[in-house]
Amino acid sequence: MPLVSMRQLLDEAAKGGYGVGAFNVNNMEQIQAIVGAAKETNSPVIIQASRGARKYAEDKYLFHLILAANELHPDVMIAMHQDHGNSFDTCKSAIELGFTSVMMDGSLKDDGKTPSSFEENVEVTRRVVEFAHERGVTVEGEIGVLGGVEDGHGAGGSGLEHITDPDQAVEFAERTGVDALAIAIGTSHGAYKFNKKPDGSVLKMDVLIAIHEHLPHTHLVMHGSSSVPKELQDIVNQYGGHLNPTWGVPVEEIQLGIRNGVRKINVDTDNRLALTGAIRKVFAETPEKFDPRDYLKPARDAMQKLVALRMTQFGQAGHGKDYTPLTIADMAEGYRSGKLDTRPSMAAH
Ligand code: G3H
Ligand code: 13P
Ligand code: ZN
């Protein structure tokens, strides 16, 4: 089967009441780990590449590696998503390359750092939706701003500075027609999210629940959703790394989100930690080794184990073959006919 539409994966997840992990990739081993975990757990999956990943790997390499995964494992439903597109042109180039989904992160200006105005965000996101939907491609927007900076992307600061306003989220969904909406509820990208186990004062699950009540037909997306488990921090530190103590988003909070409209959960940092811990262990225990396969294989295995666990925790495990995938042309027709219109005023009818 060809790469599938992210919108279809999320619509099915909403019917089934589960979430779908969206895992970032930069290289072959990460793609193999994700697809291996999807096979192992019978899960549909979203594979995503940031701008940094597209630049690092040269995006054609990444795209063709994903096509290879698709050819080798045609039974795994894979949506290929642009993570944090900063401009119309970034999203357009991803679509032209063959991505089946894009995120237009108009919460920041195209420098990827400065918070934009609501009107600027609406305008650029609406333009991407028009271009993407004509081609059957899914669009995720963002309203509110996450904390932290990853690879130059992010406004910095804590995740509490630009929490999403539920009324604004409704207006944004109405004026843009996005398929999915990333919201800011106190999380940040990267390892340093919270300095103790988060409670409601820093992780605003109440805001998420209010947004879902205001906007029941829009799929919500949780970014910055690595749990940064202590076990993974410990492995990195045990073998010569230096991570300061930190807390991520507890899995039970993500599961609460999934019960309240969250359908896509973005995870990158946990996988980075799993890979790095496994590599450091080989280096520390067998310093005589220098064949990259000797450390990349355990790294890939560690990431696959973690992704499989998250797929089970998010509930997507077991749902890999529940439905027949639609083609991107089918999706384009669905958008054209209005059948896939989720703007609040349309979805209410
Ligand atoms: O958005 C954050 C993801 O972890 C991607 O990070 O921009 O360093 O590739 P990156
Ligand atoms: P983490 O840094 O928590 O893994 O978040 C990843 C993310 O949101 C990618 O868009
Ligand atoms: Zn993100």
Side-chain angles (χ1 to χ4, degrees), residues 6 19-27 30-31 33-35 37-38 41 43-50 53 62 66 78-83 222 225-226 254 264-272 303-316:
M6 186 171 91
V20 183
F23 304 100
N24 289 75
V25 295
N26 297 271
N27 61 28
Q30 289 176 304
I31 294 167
I34 296 165
V35 175
T41 59
S43 297
V45 70
I46 301 162
I47 300 183
Q48 60 187 11
S50 67
L62 272 189
I66 290 163
I78 304 173
M80 175 68 196
H81 177 75
Q82 162 79 58
D83 191 24
M222 277 176 76
S225 289
S226 279
I254 298 172
K264 173 172 182 273
I265 305 106
N266 281 21
V267 174
D268 188 359
T269 296
D270 281 355
N271 290 323
R272 292 176 172 188
M303 176 165 160
Q304 177 165 332
K305 191 166 155 225
L306 186 67
V307 172
L309 175 66
R310 292 287 179 265
M311 287 171 161
T312 305
Q313 291 166 328
F314 298 162
Q316 75 208 78

Side-chain angles (χ1 to χ4, degrees), residues 70-179:
N70 191 227
E71 195 178 314
L72 288 167
H73 306 288
D75 54 326
V76 178
M77 266 193 272
I78 304 173
M80 175 68 196
H81 177 75
Q82 162 79 58
D83 191 24
H84 293 284
N86 63 321
S87 65
F88 177 83
D89 287 344
T90 298
C91 294
K92 180 170 179 272
S93 70
I95 293 167
E96 286 171 348
L97 188 58
F99 284 47
T100 57
S101 179
V102 293
M103 175 185 195
M104 177 60 234
D105 179 359
S107 71
L108 300 175
K109 290 182 187 283
D110 62 8
D111 63 3
K113 292 182 189 346
T114 317
S116 63
S117 71
F118 180 72
E119 288 302 324
E120 284 170 318
N121 191 355
V122 167
E123 182 47 31
V124 69
T125 307
R126 197 196 50 69
R127 232 180 117 207
V128 171
V129 167
E130 192 177 296
F131 184 84
H133 284 183
E134 264 174 32
R135 291 158 180 79
V137 170
T138 311
V139 181
E140 172 185 342
E142 174 166 328
I143 176 95
V145 182
L146 262 78
V149 182
E150 279 290 285
D151 202 18
H153 181 98
S158 96
L160 289 172
E161 285 166 31
H162 304 275
I163 295 288
T164 306
D165 171 59
D167 291 319
Q168 232 183 27
V170 176
E171 186 181 342
F172 186 79
E174 182 65 38
R175 290 178 58 192
T176 60
V178 287
D179 301 279

